[in-house]
Amino acid sequence: MAVKIRLSRAGKKKVPFHRLVVVDGREKRDGAFLDTLGTYDGLNTQVVNFDEQGYLGWIQKGAQPTDSAKK
């Protein structure tokens, strides 16, 4: 199972808001996820909250962040 850390879209039309989630690589973008690591406001381009210990824990377990999640 390839575990990935990626952004999941939430929010309304033309008001982007994303969750930083840990998912199985075969799931859809907004499908079922294993863990939520934080949120990102796409309109103001700022991180609202972020669980750094959880992120590092998943990286140590072998999760691969996507390019957009790394930023």
Side-chain angles (χ1 to χ4, degrees):
M1 174 167 88
V3 178
K4 295 193 179 277
I5 299 173
R6 67 168 69 147
L7 294 176
S8 176
R9 172 76 187 241
K12 299 186 294 187
K13 185 166 128 179
K14 300 197 183 205
V15 184
F17 197 81
H18 302 276
R19 289 188 205 113
L20 186 65
V21 295
V22 180
V23 298
D24 180 7
R26 297 169 288 188
E27 291 290 331
K28 297 178 184 178
R29 179 191 72 184
D30 295 333
F33 54 90
L34 303 172
D35 193 11
T36 303
L37 300 176
T39 53
Y40 173 73
D41 185 2
L43 193 61
N44 297 323
T45 62
Q46 64 182 2
V47 175
V48 177
N49 63 9
F50 180 67
D51 180 14
E52 188 173 352
Q53 295 298 325
Y55 178 80
L56 295 175
W58 279 104
I59 293 292
Q60 288 177 349
K61 292 177 186 174
Q64 296 293 318
T66 60
D67 292 336
S68 58
K70 284 180 188 177
K71 293 179 186 178

Short mmCIF file of all heavy atoms in Angstrom, two decimals:
data_model
loop_
_atom_site.label_atom_id
_atom_site.label_comp_id
_atom_site.label_asym_id
_atom_site.label_seq_id
_atom_site.Cartn_x
_atom_site.Cartn_y
_atom_site.Cartn_z
N MET A 1 0.85 -1.18 0.00
CA MET A 1 0.00 0.00 0.00
C MET A 1 0.89 1.24 0.00
O MET A 1 1.72 1.43 0.88
CB MET A 1 -0.89 -0.02 1.24
CG MET A 1 -1.71 1.20 1.43
SD MET A 1 -3.01 1.04 2.64
CE MET A 1 -2.16 1.50 4.12
N ALA A 2 0.73 2.08 -1.00
CA ALA A 2 1.49 3.32 -1.10
C ALA A 2 0.72 4.43 -0.39
O ALA A 2 -0.32 4.87 -0.86
CB ALA A 2 1.71 3.69 -2.55
N VAL A 3 1.25 4.88 0.72
CA VAL A 3 0.59 5.93 1.49
C VAL A 3 1.15 7.28 1.05
O VAL A 3 2.35 7.45 0.93
CB VAL A 3 0.81 5.73 3.00
CG1 VAL A 3 0.18 6.84 3.80
CG2 VAL A 3 0.24 4.39 3.43
N LYS A 4 0.26 8.24 0.80
CA LYS A 4 0.65 9.55 0.35
C LYS A 4 0.09 10.63 1.26
O LYS A 4 -0.95 10.45 1.88
CB LYS A 4 0.16 9.80 -1.07
CG LYS A 4 0.79 8.88 -2.08
CD LYS A 4 0.51 9.37 -3.48
CE LYS A 4 1.16 8.46 -4.48
NZ LYS A 4 2.54 8.76 -4.70
N ILE A 5 0.80 11.73 1.32
CA ILE A 5 0.32 12.93 2.01
C ILE A 5 -0.03 13.92 0.92
O ILE A 5 0.82 14.29 0.12
CB ILE A 5 1.41 13.50 2.94
CG1 ILE A 5 1.78 12.48 4.01
CG2 ILE A 5 0.94 14.80 3.58
CD1 ILE A 5 2.94 12.88 4.87
N ARG A 6 -1.29 14.30 0.86
CA ARG A 6 -1.74 15.18 -0.23
C ARG A 6 -2.78 16.17 0.27
O ARG A 6 -3.24 16.09 1.39
CB ARG A 6 -2.30 14.36 -1.38
CG ARG A 6 -3.56 13.63 -1.07
CD ARG A 6 -4.25 13.07 -2.28
NE ARG A 6 -3.52 11.99 -2.89
CZ ARG A 6 -4.08 10.96 -3.49
NH1 ARG A 6 -5.38 10.87 -3.56
NH2 ARG A 6 -3.36 10.00 -4.02
N LEU A 7 -3.12 17.12 -0.61
CA LEU A 7 -4.14 18.11 -0.29
C LEU A 7 -5.49 17.60 -0.77
O LEU A 7 -5.61 17.10 -1.88
CB LEU A 7 -3.83 19.44 -0.97
CG LEU A 7 -2.58 20.16 -0.48
CD1 LEU A 7 -2.35 21.41 -1.32
CD2 LEU A 7 -2.69 20.53 0.97
N SER A 8 -6.50 17.74 0.07
CA SER A 8 -7.86 17.37 -0.27
C SER A 8 -8.68 18.66 -0.32
O SER A 8 -8.67 19.44 0.62
CB SER A 8 -8.42 16.43 0.79
OG SER A 8 -9.76 16.13 0.53
N ARG A 9 -9.40 18.86 -1.42
CA ARG A 9 -10.14 20.10 -1.63
C ARG A 9 -11.38 20.15 -0.74
O ARG A 9 -12.13 19.19 -0.63
CB ARG A 9 -10.54 20.21 -3.10
CG ARG A 9 -11.48 21.34 -3.47
CD ARG A 9 -10.77 22.67 -3.49
NE ARG A 9 -11.73 23.74 -3.67
CZ ARG A 9 -11.73 24.57 -4.70
NH1 ARG A 9 -10.84 24.45 -5.64
NH2 ARG A 9 -12.62 25.52 -4.78
N ALA A 10 -11.58 21.28 -0.12
CA ALA A 10 -12.79 21.58 0.64
C ALA A 10 -13.12 23.04 0.36
O ALA A 10 -12.34 23.73 -0.29
CB ALA A 10 -12.56 21.36 2.13
N GLY A 11 -14.22 23.51 0.80
CA GLY A 11 -14.58 24.91 0.56
C GLY A 11 -15.54 25.05 -0.59
O GLY A 11 -15.92 24.08 -1.24
N LYS A 12 -15.93 26.29 -0.85
CA LYS A 12 -16.92 26.57 -1.88
C LYS A 12 -16.27 26.86 -3.22
O LYS A 12 -15.05 26.93 -3.33
CB LYS A 12 -17.77 27.78 -1.46
CG LYS A 12 -18.53 27.56 -0.17
CD LYS A 12 -19.45 28.69 0.12
CE LYS A 12 -18.68 29.97 0.42
NZ LYS A 12 -19.52 31.07 0.86
N LYS A 13 -17.10 27.07 -4.19
CA LYS A 13 -16.64 27.44 -5.52
C LYS A 13 -15.95 28.80 -5.47
O LYS A 13 -16.46 29.74 -4.87
CB LYS A 13 -17.86 27.50 -6.44
CG LYS A 13 -17.57 27.76 -7.88
CD LYS A 13 -18.81 27.44 -8.68
CE LYS A 13 -19.21 28.58 -9.56
NZ LYS A 13 -20.40 28.28 -10.34
N LYS A 14 -14.76 28.87 -6.04
CA LYS A 14 -13.93 30.07 -6.09
C LYS A 14 -13.41 30.52 -4.72
O LYS A 14 -12.93 31.64 -4.58
CB LYS A 14 -14.65 31.21 -6.80
CG LYS A 14 -15.02 30.85 -8.22
CD LYS A 14 -15.35 32.03 -9.03
CE LYS A 14 -15.76 31.54 -10.41
NZ LYS A 14 -15.58 32.47 -11.44
N VAL A 15 -13.55 29.68 -3.72
CA VAL A 15 -12.99 29.94 -2.39
C VAL A 15 -12.25 28.68 -1.97
O VAL A 15 -12.75 27.88 -1.18
CB VAL A 15 -14.08 30.30 -1.35
CG1 VAL A 15 -13.45 30.66 -0.02
CG2 VAL A 15 -14.94 31.44 -1.85
N PRO A 16 -11.04 28.47 -2.48
CA PRO A 16 -10.34 27.20 -2.20
C PRO A 16 -9.88 27.08 -0.76
O PRO A 16 -9.36 28.02 -0.18
CB PRO A 16 -9.16 27.25 -3.16
CG PRO A 16 -8.92 28.69 -3.41
CD PRO A 16 -10.26 29.36 -3.33
N PHE A 17 -10.10 25.93 -0.20
CA PHE A 17 -9.66 25.58 1.14
C PHE A 17 -9.28 24.11 1.09
O PHE A 17 -10.01 23.30 0.53
CB PHE A 17 -10.78 25.83 2.16
CG PHE A 17 -10.30 25.89 3.57
CD1 PHE A 17 -9.74 27.06 4.06
CD2 PHE A 17 -10.39 24.80 4.41
CE1 PHE A 17 -9.29 27.13 5.38
CE2 PHE A 17 -9.95 24.86 5.71
CZ PHE A 17 -9.40 26.04 6.19
N HIS A 18 -8.13 23.76 1.63
CA HIS A 18 -7.63 22.40 1.51
C HIS A 18 -7.31 21.82 2.88
O HIS A 18 -6.94 22.54 3.80
CB HIS A 18 -6.36 22.36 0.66
CG HIS A 18 -6.53 22.90 -0.71
ND1 HIS A 18 -7.03 22.15 -1.74
CD2 HIS A 18 -6.31 24.12 -1.23
CE1 HIS A 18 -7.07 22.89 -2.84
NE2 HIS A 18 -6.64 24.10 -2.53
N ARG A 19 -7.42 20.50 2.97
CA ARG A 19 -6.96 19.77 4.14
C ARG A 19 -5.72 18.99 3.74
O ARG A 19 -5.67 18.40 2.67
CB ARG A 19 -8.02 18.77 4.61
CG ARG A 19 -9.21 19.39 5.24
CD ARG A 19 -10.09 18.30 5.85
NE ARG A 19 -11.44 18.81 5.90
CZ ARG A 19 -12.45 18.34 5.17
NH1 ARG A 19 -12.28 17.33 4.36
NH2 ARG A 19 -13.64 18.87 5.27
N LEU A 20 -4.74 18.96 4.60
CA LEU A 20 -3.55 18.13 4.39
C LEU A 20 -3.86 16.78 5.02
O LEU A 20 -4.01 16.68 6.23
CB LEU A 20 -2.34 18.78 5.05
CG LEU A 20 -1.00 18.12 4.79
CD1 LEU A 20 -0.64 18.22 3.32
CD2 LEU A 20 0.07 18.77 5.62
N VAL A 21 -4.00 15.74 4.18
CA VAL A 21 -4.45 14.44 4.67
C VAL A 21 -3.47 13.34 4.27
O VAL A 21 -2.69 13.49 3.33
CB VAL A 21 -5.86 14.10 4.14
CG1 VAL A 21 -6.89 15.05 4.67
CG2 VAL A 21 -5.89 14.07 2.63
N VAL A 22 -3.54 12.24 4.98
CA VAL A 22 -2.77 11.04 4.67
C VAL A 22 -3.77 10.04 4.09
O VAL A 22 -4.79 9.74 4.71
CB VAL A 22 -2.13 10.45 5.95
CG1 VAL A 22 -1.35 9.20 5.63
CG2 VAL A 22 -1.25 11.48 6.63
N VAL A 23 -3.48 9.56 2.87
CA VAL A 23 -4.41 8.65 2.18
C VAL A 23 -3.65 7.49 1.54
O VAL A 23 -2.45 7.57 1.31
CB VAL A 23 -5.22 9.38 1.09
CG1 VAL A 23 -6.08 10.45 1.66
CG2 VAL A 23 -4.31 9.93 0.03
N ASP A 24 -4.40 6.45 1.24
CA ASP A 24 -3.88 5.39 0.40
C ASP A 24 -3.77 5.96 -1.01
O ASP A 24 -4.66 6.67 -1.46
CB ASP A 24 -4.85 4.20 0.43
CG ASP A 24 -4.39 3.03 -0.41
OD1 ASP A 24 -3.24 3.07 -0.92
OD2 ASP A 24 -5.16 2.08 -0.56
N GLY A 25 -2.69 5.71 -1.69
CA GLY A 25 -2.44 6.30 -3.00
C GLY A 25 -3.48 5.96 -4.05
O GLY A 25 -3.61 6.65 -5.05
N ARG A 26 -4.26 4.89 -3.83
CA ARG A 26 -5.26 4.48 -4.81
C ARG A 26 -6.61 5.17 -4.61
O ARG A 26 -7.50 5.05 -5.43
CB ARG A 26 -5.45 2.98 -4.74
CG ARG A 26 -4.17 2.22 -5.10
CD ARG A 26 -4.30 0.77 -4.77
NE ARG A 26 -4.26 0.65 -3.31
CZ ARG A 26 -4.21 -0.51 -2.67
NH1 ARG A 26 -4.18 -1.63 -3.34
NH2 ARG A 26 -4.16 -0.54 -1.35
N GLU A 27 -6.76 5.91 -3.51
CA GLU A 27 -8.03 6.60 -3.23
C GLU A 27 -8.17 7.86 -4.09
O GLU A 27 -7.20 8.40 -4.59
CB GLU A 27 -8.10 7.00 -1.75
CG GLU A 27 -8.25 5.86 -0.80
CD GLU A 27 -9.59 5.18 -0.87
OE1 GLU A 27 -10.60 5.83 -1.22
OE2 GLU A 27 -9.65 3.98 -0.57
N LYS A 28 -9.41 8.33 -4.21
CA LYS A 28 -9.69 9.57 -4.94
C LYS A 28 -9.15 10.76 -4.16
O LYS A 28 -8.81 10.65 -2.98
CB LYS A 28 -11.19 9.74 -5.13
CG LYS A 28 -11.81 8.67 -5.96
CD LYS A 28 -13.30 8.90 -6.06
CE LYS A 28 -13.97 7.78 -6.81
NZ LYS A 28 -15.43 7.97 -6.87
N ARG A 29 -9.09 11.91 -4.82
CA ARG A 29 -8.57 13.11 -4.18
C ARG A 29 -9.34 13.45 -2.91
O ARG A 29 -8.77 13.81 -1.89
CB ARG A 29 -8.65 14.30 -5.15
CG ARG A 29 -8.14 15.59 -4.55
CD ARG A 29 -8.47 16.78 -5.41
NE ARG A 29 -9.90 17.04 -5.32
CZ ARG A 29 -10.54 17.97 -6.01
NH1 ARG A 29 -9.88 18.70 -6.86
NH2 ARG A 29 -11.83 18.15 -5.88
N ASP A 30 -10.66 13.37 -2.96
CA ASP A 30 -11.49 13.70 -1.81
C ASP A 30 -12.09 12.46 -1.17
O ASP A 30 -13.10 12.54 -0.48
CB ASP A 30 -12.60 14.66 -2.23
CG ASP A 30 -12.05 15.99 -2.69
OD1 ASP A 30 -10.96 16.36 -2.24
OD2 ASP A 30 -12.70 16.66 -3.51
N GLY A 31 -11.48 11.30 -1.39
CA GLY A 31 -11.99 10.05 -0.84
C GLY A 31 -11.64 9.86 0.62
O GLY A 31 -11.27 10.79 1.34
N ALA A 32 -11.73 8.61 1.05
CA ALA A 32 -11.45 8.27 2.44
C ALA A 32 -9.99 8.52 2.77
O ALA A 32 -9.11 8.27 1.95
CB ALA A 32 -11.80 6.81 2.70
N PHE A 33 -9.73 9.01 3.98
CA PHE A 33 -8.36 9.31 4.38
C PHE A 33 -8.06 8.66 5.72
O PHE A 33 -8.96 8.33 6.48
CB PHE A 33 -8.09 10.81 4.42
CG PHE A 33 -9.04 11.60 5.26
CD1 PHE A 33 -8.78 11.82 6.60
CD2 PHE A 33 -10.19 12.15 4.72
CE1 PHE A 33 -9.64 12.55 7.39
CE2 PHE A 33 -11.06 12.88 5.49
CZ PHE A 33 -10.79 13.08 6.83
N LEU A 34 -6.77 8.49 6.01
CA LEU A 34 -6.33 7.84 7.24
C LEU A 34 -6.17 8.83 8.38
O LEU A 34 -6.45 8.51 9.53
CB LEU A 34 -4.99 7.13 7.00
CG LEU A 34 -4.98 6.10 5.88
CD1 LEU A 34 -3.57 5.63 5.62
CD2 LEU A 34 -5.88 4.94 6.23
N ASP A 35 -5.70 10.04 8.08
CA ASP A 35 -5.41 11.02 9.12
C ASP A 35 -5.42 12.42 8.52
O ASP A 35 -5.10 12.61 7.36
CB ASP A 35 -4.04 10.74 9.74
CG ASP A 35 -3.78 11.48 11.03
OD1 ASP A 35 -4.73 12.07 11.58
OD2 ASP A 35 -2.63 11.47 11.48
N THR A 36 -5.81 13.41 9.32
CA THR A 36 -5.75 14.81 8.91
C THR A 36 -4.60 15.47 9.63
O THR A 36 -4.50 15.40 10.86
CB THR A 36 -7.06 15.54 9.27
OG1 THR A 36 -8.15 14.86 8.66
CG2 THR A 36 -7.03 16.97 8.78
N LEU A 37 -3.72 16.14 8.87
CA LEU A 37 -2.53 16.75 9.45
C LEU A 37 -2.62 18.26 9.57
O LEU A 37 -1.83 18.86 10.28
CB LEU A 37 -1.30 16.39 8.61
CG LEU A 37 -1.00 14.90 8.50
CD1 LEU A 37 0.17 14.68 7.57
CD2 LEU A 37 -0.72 14.32 9.86
N GLY A 38 -3.54 18.88 8.85
CA GLY A 38 -3.65 20.32 8.94
C GLY A 38 -4.58 20.87 7.89
O GLY A 38 -5.21 20.12 7.14
N THR A 39 -4.68 22.19 7.84
CA THR A 39 -5.51 22.86 6.84
C THR A 39 -4.73 23.99 6.20
O THR A 39 -3.79 24.55 6.79
CB THR A 39 -6.79 23.44 7.49
OG1 THR A 39 -6.43 24.25 8.58
CG2 THR A 39 -7.71 22.34 7.95
N TYR A 40 -5.12 24.32 4.96
CA TYR A 40 -4.44 25.33 4.17
C TYR A 40 -5.48 26.20 3.49
O TYR A 40 -6.41 25.70 2.85
CB TYR A 40 -3.56 24.65 3.12
CG TYR A 40 -2.93 25.58 2.12
CD1 TYR A 40 -1.88 26.41 2.48
CD2 TYR A 40 -3.39 25.63 0.81
CE1 TYR A 40 -1.31 27.27 1.56
CE2 TYR A 40 -2.82 26.49 -0.11
CZ TYR A 40 -1.78 27.29 0.27
OH TYR A 40 -1.21 28.15 -0.63
N ASP A 41 -5.35 27.50 3.64
CA ASP A 41 -6.26 28.47 3.01
C ASP A 41 -5.66 28.87 1.67
O ASP A 41 -4.68 29.60 1.61
CB ASP A 41 -6.44 29.67 3.92
CG ASP A 41 -7.45 30.66 3.40
OD1 ASP A 41 -8.05 30.42 2.33
OD2 ASP A 41 -7.66 31.69 4.07
N GLY A 42 -6.23 28.40 0.58
CA GLY A 42 -5.71 28.67 -0.75
C GLY A 42 -5.94 30.09 -1.22
O GLY A 42 -5.20 30.61 -2.04
N LEU A 43 -6.96 30.75 -0.71
CA LEU A 43 -7.27 32.11 -1.12
C LEU A 43 -6.24 33.09 -0.56
O LEU A 43 -5.77 33.98 -1.26
CB LEU A 43 -8.67 32.49 -0.65
CG LEU A 43 -9.28 33.75 -1.23
CD1 LEU A 43 -9.41 33.63 -2.75
CD2 LEU A 43 -10.64 34.00 -0.64
N ASN A 44 -5.87 32.92 0.69
CA ASN A 44 -4.88 33.79 1.33
C ASN A 44 -3.48 33.19 1.33
O ASN A 44 -2.56 33.79 1.88
CB ASN A 44 -5.31 34.10 2.77
CG ASN A 44 -6.62 34.86 2.81
OD1 ASN A 44 -6.88 35.69 1.97
ND2 ASN A 44 -7.44 34.54 3.79
N THR A 45 -3.32 32.01 0.76
CA THR A 45 -2.06 31.26 0.68
C THR A 45 -1.33 31.22 2.03
O THR A 45 -0.19 31.62 2.15
CB THR A 45 -1.12 31.81 -0.40
OG1 THR A 45 -0.78 33.16 -0.10
CG2 THR A 45 -1.75 31.74 -1.77
N GLN A 46 -2.03 30.70 3.03
CA GLN A 46 -1.41 30.54 4.34
C GLN A 46 -1.89 29.25 4.99
O GLN A 46 -2.99 28.79 4.74
CB GLN A 46 -1.74 31.72 5.25
CG GLN A 46 -3.20 31.87 5.60
CD GLN A 46 -3.45 33.08 6.46
OE1 GLN A 46 -2.53 33.83 6.75
NE2 GLN A 46 -4.67 33.28 6.87
N VAL A 47 -1.04 28.68 5.80
CA VAL A 47 -1.38 27.48 6.54
C VAL A 47 -2.16 27.90 7.78
O VAL A 47 -1.68 28.73 8.56
CB VAL A 47 -0.10 26.71 6.94
CG1 VAL A 47 -0.44 25.53 7.81
CG2 VAL A 47 0.65 26.27 5.70
N VAL A 48 -3.34 27.34 7.97
CA VAL A 48 -4.17 27.70 9.11
C VAL A 48 -3.70 26.95 10.35
O VAL A 48 -3.49 27.55 11.39
CB VAL A 48 -5.66 27.41 8.82
CG1 VAL A 48 -6.52 27.71 10.02
CG2 VAL A 48 -6.12 28.22 7.62
N ASN A 49 -3.56 25.63 10.24
CA ASN A 49 -2.97 24.86 11.33
C ASN A 49 -2.23 23.67 10.73
O ASN A 49 -2.49 23.26 9.62
CB ASN A 49 -4.01 24.41 12.37
CG ASN A 49 -5.05 23.50 11.79
OD1 ASN A 49 -4.96 23.04 10.68
ND2 ASN A 49 -6.08 23.23 12.56
N PHE A 50 -1.26 23.14 11.50
CA PHE A 50 -0.40 22.09 10.98
C PHE A 50 0.13 21.26 12.14
O PHE A 50 0.63 21.80 13.13
CB PHE A 50 0.77 22.72 10.21
CG PHE A 50 1.73 21.72 9.63
CD1 PHE A 50 1.34 20.87 8.63
CD2 PHE A 50 3.02 21.65 10.11
CE1 PHE A 50 2.22 19.95 8.09
CE2 PHE A 50 3.91 20.74 9.58
CZ PHE A 50 3.52 19.89 8.57
N ASP A 51 0.00 19.93 12.04
CA ASP A 51 0.48 19.00 13.05
C ASP A 51 1.85 18.47 12.60
O ASP A 51 1.94 17.51 11.86
CB ASP A 51 -0.51 17.85 13.22
CG ASP A 51 -0.07 16.84 14.25
OD1 ASP A 51 0.85 17.15 15.04
OD2 ASP A 51 -0.67 15.74 14.28
N GLU A 52 2.91 19.15 13.04
CA GLU A 52 4.26 18.80 12.59
C GLU A 52 4.69 17.42 13.10
O GLU A 52 5.33 16.66 12.37
CB GLU A 52 5.25 19.86 13.06
CG GLU A 52 6.63 19.66 12.48
CD GLU A 52 7.56 20.82 12.81
OE1 GLU A 52 7.12 21.83 13.36
OE2 GLU A 52 8.75 20.67 12.51
N GLN A 53 4.35 17.08 14.34
CA GLN A 53 4.72 15.77 14.88
C GLN A 53 4.03 14.65 14.11
O GLN A 53 4.64 13.61 13.84
CB GLN A 53 4.36 15.69 16.37
CG GLN A 53 5.14 16.64 17.23
CD GLN A 53 6.63 16.36 17.19
OE1 GLN A 53 7.05 15.22 17.10
NE2 GLN A 53 7.43 17.41 17.22
N GLY A 54 2.77 14.85 13.76
CA GLY A 54 2.05 13.85 12.97
C GLY A 54 2.65 13.70 11.58
O GLY A 54 2.79 12.58 11.06
N TYR A 55 3.04 14.82 10.97
CA TYR A 55 3.66 14.80 9.64
C TYR A 55 4.96 14.02 9.67
O TYR A 55 5.18 13.13 8.85
CB TYR A 55 3.91 16.24 9.18
CG TYR A 55 4.58 16.34 7.83
CD1 TYR A 55 3.85 16.20 6.66
CD2 TYR A 55 5.94 16.60 7.73
CE1 TYR A 55 4.46 16.30 5.42
CE2 TYR A 55 6.56 16.71 6.51
CZ TYR A 55 5.81 16.56 5.35
OH TYR A 55 6.43 16.65 4.13
N LEU A 56 5.83 14.32 10.64
CA LEU A 56 7.11 13.63 10.74
C LEU A 56 6.91 12.14 11.06
O LEU A 56 7.66 11.29 10.57
CB LEU A 56 7.98 14.29 11.80
CG LEU A 56 8.42 15.72 11.48
CD1 LEU A 56 9.18 16.32 12.66
CD2 LEU A 56 9.26 15.76 10.22
N GLY A 57 5.90 11.83 11.84
CA GLY A 57 5.60 10.44 12.15
C GLY A 57 5.21 9.64 10.91
O GLY A 57 5.66 8.52 10.71
N TRP A 58 4.37 10.25 10.05
CA TRP A 58 3.97 9.57 8.82
C TRP A 58 5.12 9.46 7.83
O TRP A 58 5.24 8.47 7.11
CB TRP A 58 2.77 10.26 8.18
CG TRP A 58 1.48 9.88 8.83
CD1 TRP A 58 0.74 10.63 9.69
CD2 TRP A 58 0.78 8.64 8.67
NE1 TRP A 58 -0.37 9.93 10.08
CE2 TRP A 58 -0.37 8.71 9.46
CE3 TRP A 58 1.03 7.49 7.94
CZ2 TRP A 58 -1.28 7.67 9.54
CZ3 TRP A 58 0.11 6.44 8.02
CH2 TRP A 58 -1.02 6.53 8.81
N ILE A 59 5.99 10.45 7.79
CA ILE A 59 7.17 10.40 6.92
C ILE A 59 8.08 9.24 7.36
O ILE A 59 8.61 8.50 6.52
CB ILE A 59 7.93 11.74 6.94
CG1 ILE A 59 7.10 12.85 6.31
CG2 ILE A 59 9.29 11.62 6.25
CD1 ILE A 59 6.87 12.70 4.83
N GLN A 60 8.26 9.07 8.66
CA GLN A 60 9.08 7.98 9.17
C GLN A 60 8.48 6.61 8.87
O GLN A 60 9.20 5.64 8.70
CB GLN A 60 9.29 8.12 10.68
CG GLN A 60 10.21 9.25 11.05
CD GLN A 60 10.35 9.40 12.55
OE1 GLN A 60 9.61 8.80 13.32
NE2 GLN A 60 11.30 10.22 12.96
N LYS A 61 7.15 6.56 8.77
CA LYS A 61 6.47 5.29 8.45
C LYS A 61 6.52 4.99 6.95
O LYS A 61 6.08 3.93 6.53
CB LYS A 61 5.02 5.34 8.91
CG LYS A 61 4.88 5.35 10.41
CD LYS A 61 3.43 5.45 10.80
CE LYS A 61 3.29 5.63 12.30
NZ LYS A 61 1.90 5.87 12.70
N GLY A 62 6.98 5.96 6.13
CA GLY A 62 7.13 5.70 4.70
C GLY A 62 6.15 6.44 3.81
O GLY A 62 6.11 6.18 2.60
N ALA A 63 5.36 7.35 4.34
CA ALA A 63 4.42 8.11 3.52
C ALA A 63 5.19 9.09 2.64
O ALA A 63 6.17 9.69 3.08
CB ALA A 63 3.43 8.87 4.40
N GLN A 64 4.76 9.24 1.39
CA GLN A 64 5.40 10.12 0.44
C GLN A 64 4.53 11.36 0.21
O GLN A 64 3.40 11.23 -0.24
CB GLN A 64 5.61 9.41 -0.90
CG GLN A 64 6.54 8.23 -0.82
CD GLN A 64 7.95 8.68 -0.52
OE1 GLN A 64 8.43 9.66 -1.06
NE2 GLN A 64 8.61 7.95 0.36
N PRO A 65 5.03 12.57 0.50
CA PRO A 65 4.23 13.77 0.24
C PRO A 65 4.26 14.10 -1.26
O PRO A 65 5.25 13.89 -1.94
CB PRO A 65 4.93 14.85 1.04
CG PRO A 65 6.31 14.37 1.23
CD PRO A 65 6.26 12.87 1.22
N THR A 66 3.14 14.62 -1.76
CA THR A 66 3.08 15.07 -3.14
C THR A 66 3.79 16.42 -3.25
O THR A 66 4.13 17.03 -2.24
CB THR A 66 1.63 15.22 -3.62
OG1 THR A 66 0.96 16.17 -2.81
CG2 THR A 66 0.89 13.89 -3.56
N ASP A 67 4.03 16.88 -4.48
CA ASP A 67 4.73 18.15 -4.67
C ASP A 67 3.97 19.32 -4.04
O ASP A 67 4.58 20.18 -3.40
CB ASP A 67 4.94 18.42 -6.16
CG ASP A 67 5.91 17.44 -6.78
OD1 ASP A 67 6.74 16.87 -6.04
OD2 ASP A 67 5.85 17.25 -8.01
N SER A 68 2.66 19.36 -4.20
CA SER A 68 1.89 20.46 -3.62
C SER A 68 1.85 20.38 -2.11
O SER A 68 1.80 21.40 -1.43
CB SER A 68 0.47 20.48 -4.19
OG SER A 68 -0.18 19.25 -3.93
N ALA A 69 1.90 19.18 -1.55
CA ALA A 69 1.91 19.04 -0.09
C ALA A 69 3.25 19.45 0.50
O ALA A 69 3.33 19.94 1.62
CB ALA A 69 1.58 17.61 0.31
N LYS A 70 4.34 19.27 -0.24
CA LYS A 70 5.65 19.68 0.24
C LYS A 70 5.75 21.18 0.38
O LYS A 70 6.40 21.70 1.29
CB LYS A 70 6.74 19.22 -0.73
CG LYS A 70 7.06 17.76 -0.67
CD LYS A 70 8.14 17.44 -1.65
CE LYS A 70 8.37 15.95 -1.76
NZ LYS A 70 9.38 15.62 -2.77
N LYS A 71 5.13 21.91 -0.53
CA LYS A 71 5.18 23.37 -0.49
C LYS A 71 4.50 23.88 0.75
O LYS A 71 4.88 24.79 1.37
CB LYS A 71 4.51 23.97 -1.72
CG LYS A 71 5.25 23.67 -3.00
CD LYS A 71 4.51 24.28 -4.16
CE LYS A 71 5.17 23.86 -5.46
NZ LYS A 71 4.47 24.37 -6.61
#
